[in-house]
Amino acid sequence: MNFAGYKKTKALKLKLSLVSVLIALALLPLSCKKDGDGSVTPQGCYLAGFQSTGTGSRSFAYNEKGLVKTFNLSKDGYNTKFDLTYDDKNLLISSICTIGGELAFKEKYAYENGRISTVTMVDPKNDIGVWGTHRIKYDQEGRIIEYTNEFGDAPTDSKHIFEYNAQGVQTKYEVVLLKGDLKYRQIIKPAGTPVKSAESYLMEHGVPYELPLGYAFPKVDPGIGSVMELYATDLEGKIVLVNSYTLNTQKVNAKGFVEQSLWSTAKGEILNNYSFQGCN
């Protein structure tokens, strides 16, 4: 495998291994104190990071405009860093991924009607070699309904499909290969009262979806009592129910953001902890 192919495959594996919009900026006042990397510590309520069962932990740093400048992902002993760049209109224009201190790939974002429509993955050293392309479609509410991975590799080229209910809860998520095979499905059966998702804070501060995975951030999360069903392919390639979780615990801070959610089943738990600062 050549170097570009290795990098492309490595980047694709990163996308496939990790789980879990308009940039309408509602900027908070910021302190003048800068960290060594030029980031600042926001005053008031802000999301410092989060940790989720099986998907590792993330931490965020912000620039002087209140936009996410960098975020770090730690999972399975690997440290991955994303550096984000914005234009003078505060639109995200590029991000660079570094894995274990090694440059992995760069993403460049193109817009239509104020939303990211095309993402090009390029060689981070020269911006020339194109390793992959992503295309994004939205519904009339500006929510992502389709995110396509195109790497020129039929076994992995795929489409992420999202559906929402009238309240904005993400009720369905599927991964379908471009050749037509359904590989994964997540169904949410909402109950209770929807609450503001922690990810909605990121959407308001420069990160429109789960970079670089293409997972659409919902603006609201389902309430207590909701059921989440997970489906995957078996050895025969048939899609089967793998597990079903119930949302048993949910903590919300004074600003209305979810700070913790616990999904439980007889086979285990999924615990999401979001570290907000200055919100109570």
Side-chain angles (χ1 to χ4, degrees):
M1 181 182 294
N2 60 27
F3 178 76
Y6 164 76
K7 285 289 191 177
K8 180 177 71 175
T9 301
K10 185 175 182 180
L12 179 58
K13 286 182 177 179
L14 172 67
K15 286 173 174 285
L16 297 178
S17 67
L18 304 178
V19 175
S20 34
V21 181
L22 296 175
I23 304 175
L25 298 175
L27 302 181
L28 296 172
L30 300 172
S31 70
C32 295
K33 181 179 179 181
K34 293 185 178 181
D35 295 327
D37 62 355
S39 62
V40 299
T41 301
Q43 293 179 343
C45 180
Y46 72 97
L47 180 61
F50 64 88
Q51 185 169 8
S52 180
T53 302
T55 65
S57 61
R58 293 162 175 77
S59 61
F60 304 97
Y62 298 83
N63 66 18
E64 292 179 331
K65 293 184 177 181
L67 304 172
V68 175
K69 178 181 179 180
T70 63
F71 68 91
N72 295 279
L73 167 64
S74 178
K75 183 180 185 294
D76 298 333
Y78 290 93
N79 294 313
T80 304
K81 179 183 179 183
F82 298 91
D83 293 286
L84 282 57
T85 302
Y86 303 86
D87 64 13
D88 56 4
K89 296 181 180 178
N90 296 329
L91 294 177
L92 180 66
I93 57 172
S94 68
S95 63
I96 295 179
C97 175
T98 305
I99 303 176
E102 178 186 359
L103 281 173
F105 59 87
K106 180 177 182 178
E107 287 193 339
K108 300 170 69 176
Y109 308 100
Y111 287 76
E112 288 183 9
N113 301 318
R115 305 183 183 114
I116 296 175
S117 59
T118 306
V119 182
T120 306
M121 179 185 287
V122 299
D123 187 327
K125 295 182 179 179
N126 56 33
D127 280 15
I128 297 176
V130 176
W131 296 344
T133 302
H134 311 289
R135 306 183 195 282
I136 305 176
K137 294 182 180 180
Y138 303 83
D139 64 13
Q140 293 182 345
E141 303 297 324
R143 299 172 298 207
I144 294 176
I145 56 173
E146 190 174 290
Y147 181 98
T148 302
N149 298 304
E150 300 174 8
F151 291 92
D153 180 31
T156 55
D157 283 357
S158 60
K159 183 180 298 184
H160 299 234
I161 300 172
F162 306 89
E163 294 182 7
Y164 309 83
N165 67 8
Q167 295 173 303
V169 174
Q170 192 180 102
T171 55
K172 188 175 183 180
Y173 164 54
E174 290 184 336
V175 178
V176 181
L177 298 184
L178 296 188
K179 62 180 183 177
D181 299 339
L182 175 63
K183 301 300 292 183
Y184 177 80
R185 174 182 289 150
Q186 173 182 292
I187 299 292
I188 296 287
K189 299 177 179 179
T193 303
V195 295
K196 189 160 52 173
S197 72
E199 291 84 1
S200 66
Y201 180 88
L202 298 177
M203 295 168 67
E204 295 171 349
H205 293 81
V207 184
Y209 56 85
E210 178 77 13
L211 302 175
L213 312 177
Y215 187 82
F217 287 151
K219 290 187 177 181
V220 295
D221 284 347
I224 291 176
S226 298
V227 173
M228 175 172 60
E229 298 176 347
L230 303 182
Y231 297 79
T233 52
D234 62 13
L235 295 177
E236 298 179 351
K238 297 179 180 178
I239 197 78
V240 296
L241 178 65
V242 175
N243 214 335
S244 179
Y245 295 85
T246 300
L247 180 57
N248 288 328
T249 302
Q250 189 178 68
K251 296 181 180 178
V252 178
N253 64 27
K255 299 297 183 181
F257 293 105
V258 170
E259 285 197 334
Q260 185 182 86
S261 60
L262 177 63
W263 297 81
S264 303
T265 180
K267 298 180 181 179
E269 298 178 337
I270 298 175
L271 177 63
N272 302 311
N273 281 309
Y274 301 92
S275 178
F276 280 93
Q277 304 295 324
C279 299
N280 292 312

